[in-house]
Amino acid sequence: MATNGASTNGAKKHKYNPTFTQTVINATGPKATPRVRQLTASLIQHLHDFARENDLTVDEWMLGVELMNEAGRMSDDRRNEGQLVCDVLGLESLVDEITFKLASDAADEPTATAILGPFYRHDAPKLPMGACIVDEKTNKEGDRTWMHGTITDFTTGKPIEGVEVDVWHTAPNGLYEQQDPDQPDMNLRGTLTTGKDGKYDFYCLRPVPYPIPYDGPAGKILKALDRHPYRPAHIHFLLKHHGYKPIVTQIFDRNSKYIEDDAVFAVKDSLLVDFKPFQGDPKADFELPYDFKMASFEDAKKHGVAGATQPSTA
Amino acid sequence: MATNGASTNGAKKHKYNPTFTQTVINATGPKATPRVRQLTASLIQHLHDFARENDLTVDEWMLGVELMNEAGRMSDDRRNEGQLVCDVLGLESLVDEITFKLASDAADEPTATAILGPFYRHDAPKLPMGACIVDEKTNKEGDRTWMHGTITDFTTGKPIEGVEVDVWHTAPNGLYEQQDPDQPDMNLRGTLTTGKDGKYDFYCLRPVPYPIPYDGPAGKILKALDRHPYRPAHIHFLLKHHGYKPIVTQIFDRNSKYIEDDAVFAVKDSLLVDFKPFQGDPKADFELPYDFKMASFEDAKKHGVAGATQPSTA
């Protein structure tokens, strides 16, 4: 039983009932898995410490509950507001770092990762190599860009055949297609598969900075923290191959505003790219060369990568 | 910019990027209130520490996001699943202790508090003193109980006139009326107002232990933790008076099962009560005398009660 700290008579080391948190942790039964036991014990300890250290009141806690409930109610297969709340608190970037970290002494390293973000959609259209992911009828604006590169094995340096390259980015108005009734379904999304040479190429637009949706709990948090909601211009990638650790990443336009203060803290040095003025191709004004290096599952395990398995999003 | 820890060359004290958390905390702008700044900085620090200490993977984090989103989607004006998730982790009981704590050296103390729980409803019917909150047509079972007592000022000992006594408990089937289509609206709920003598009395049922709803995220957590979902038999109270600190509490049947292992950790010694066999009243088989002591706002402040204001639920 959780005894009322105020009514016990013994010497008190703590302002609040000093046995309460252990009581809650100890309630876990014998059949809980070791990992569940570890994670919940740690979560309970941190949540309780957070409450005690800040003398968290019922009203403040209830504000948090209502924010989280509101986030859940806004979430569906097109929007994940709970994820967005985590993103503005840096949590997705952190678990991304944790999950895909390679031992820092690796001689070489595969492409760095960045958060998936809440706008990924399964089943983007499969396109032939060299295709254009821009719906030309609706997207009159934007700098047309030819992106291309090679996907290699980060240990052997050899090109990888059969990599599924899933790409998505926002329209010039700063909206992903599922946020924007004026864009056709799956606009600015596509999946391409590499051939024997490991090369990929496609036409897209040079992305622009945009605000994350701030009409929900994530926006309320940003407002309360006096923070802007903008992300620097970037293109999302999810690379999959049965023999390789999937790569979830974003590449960022080095010259974009907000590179230094991304609202969701996803920018990494190695993911900065340069859009180069491009001539001689009537379909593109800019060229964007970018190579990816993938770690095989075997190598990933060898180098101590946590979670070297297919992600739940794959 | 959040630099990629793996690509920096300096000496590393930490396994993960050692500046990341401070980068996120420092993003807070100058217009955030001191309290918001404090709470979010502390929450970010604890969430990030939790993730790092446990090498939390993207998949594990996403399971948590989906649980919270699911809780939000299940929540409406009749059910608060986000609150229930906090309850099974002991968080509501802890913030209850924090919020309503009196300095432990107070000579006397007002009635101890306990969590509001997710089944409180606003606007329970106002009833005359001595009323019965049981719908006699539907509730054929259950031990009929006459509950009565006096509400006094904990400093002066004088009875308090005009206290609104809001009471609610479950039916013999273990369900609150809003969970049960077979019970009439507002069954087993009522609000009574004390007269000059500070006395209250009403007829109810002797409550029974019951499981909290385990068809949602809270139930998933309990299952993963190999814990039962049961609460010991209890009656809820919310006491309000314009001059006094509101009391949110529950009283527990001392002989009930689960007194020692309440699924939401709300039991306190001083809230244990005895149902006494009662003769001579055709309307009741048990008697339950219980007195409440309320702290005036002035006394509450004097004794260092945090949050000595009307709760958001009032």
Side-chain angles (χ1 to χ4, degrees), chain A residues 178-235:
Chain A
Q178 78 260 58
Q179 299 177 281
D180 184 357
D182 293 336
Q183 289 180 54
D185 194 49
M186 294 289 182
N187 185 36
L188 300 171
R189 296 176 186 274
T191 304
L192 312 106
T193 304
T194 58
K196 279 191 178 171
D197 58 3
K199 288 188 189 300
Y200 76 90
D201 80 295
F202 62 90
Y203 290 88
C204 62
L205 297 175
R206 183 173 182 167
V208 294
Y210 66 86
I212 59 170
Y214 50 89
D215 56 337
K220 285 182 185 170
I221 291 170
L222 288 177
K223 193 173 176 188
L225 292 177
D226 186 25
R227 278 170 46 185
H228 71 75
Y230 284 88
R231 300 212 58 208
H234 62 276
I235 303 176

Side-chain angles (χ1 to χ4, degrees), chain A residues 28-54:
Chain A
T28 300
K31 289 179 199 150
T33 69
R35 184 63 174 164
V36 162
R37 181 183 306 276
Q38 175 192 338
L39 287 180
T40 50
S42 176
L43 184 65
I44 290 164
Q45 186 71 54
H46 276 294
L47 284 174
H48 288 201
D49 285 346
F50 163 68
R52 280 185 291 253
E53 288 166 10
N54 298 287

